[in-house]
Amino acid sequence: MQWVLLSYRMPREPSSPRIAVWRKLKSLGVAQLGDGLVALPADARTREQLEWVAEDVEQGGGSAMLWTAQPESEVHERRIAAEMAAVRAGEYRQLCDQAAGEESSAGLRRLRGALRRVERRDFFPPPDRDAARAAVQAVADRVAAGARERA
């Protein structure tokens, strides 16, 4: 499997561009391989996303380089994938916790949006994804039942 890597450095001050880059990387679901080195499975979408982040790094006074690579062994690749899946699993579990007891349509919209955002950065889906989908569907069912009762 090919991976796209972003190697970057940013000045400490001002901190706002560095924080903005960190937030973008987190929203993309990157694997943190080291200080200033992140990776995503390579495809046209992930390459483009990391190109945009690289531009943000350079506009923030830093330097960035994109690389395409593959780990030397399947063990390393599986480890990176497992680490990424573990982070997503935690996010899915949080969604399940948030869905427990939720019965409002506003809460349902918020949960659906959060689920879409996690799924967009889920490259190696853990079993927790199905549980999160079921939890959000359960909220939708409760909201619909409440609407029927009020009608």
Side-chain angles (χ1 to χ4, degrees):
M1 171 184 252
Q2 291 284 311
W3 292 76
V4 59
L5 281 64
L6 171 65
S7 173
Y8 68 98
R9 296 183 93 166
M10 293 194 74
R12 292 231 176 259
E13 295 298 327
S15 62
S16 52
R18 187 171 36 87
I19 292 168
V21 165
W22 177 82
R23 285 182 179 152
K24 284 181 184 177
L25 291 171
K26 184 175 173 163
S27 75
L28 294 176
V30 298
Q32 185 81 41
L33 301 180
D35 289 339
L37 183 61
V38 296
L40 285 173
D43 64 24
R45 181 178 67 98
T46 57
R47 279 187 181 95
E48 183 176 38
Q49 290 170 327
L50 288 181
E51 285 172 2
W52 291 339
V53 174
E55 288 177 21
D56 291 343
V57 167
E58 291 176 355
Q59 289 175 1
S63 61
M65 287 189 287
L66 287 175
W67 302 81
T68 303
Q70 70 184 58
E72 281 293 313
S73 73
E74 285 186 34
V75 170
H76 292 122
E77 186 168 272
R78 281 194 301 267
R79 185 177 70 210
I80 295 167
E83 289 171 5
M84 292 174 78
V87 173
R88 296 299 85 73
E91 293 173 342
Y92 286 129
R93 285 191 298 272
Q94 268 186 320
L95 277 171
C96 289
D97 292 345
Q98 292 169 5
E102 180 62 64
E103 295 185 10
S104 72
S105 56
L108 176 60
R109 282 190 302 276
R110 181 182 46 76
L111 287 167
R112 282 180 171 159
L115 180 61
R116 277 191 305 275
R117 286 188 296 278
V118 174
E119 287 179 330
R120 270 194 302 248
R121 61 180 170 260
D122 187 0
F123 298 96
F124 306 99
D128 305 82
R129 179 177 70 174
D130 293 335
R133 286 176 172 173
V136 171
Q137 183 58 51
V139 173
D141 294 345
R142 288 193 298 270
V143 168
R148 283 192 302 274
E149 288 176 8
R150 287 188 296 277

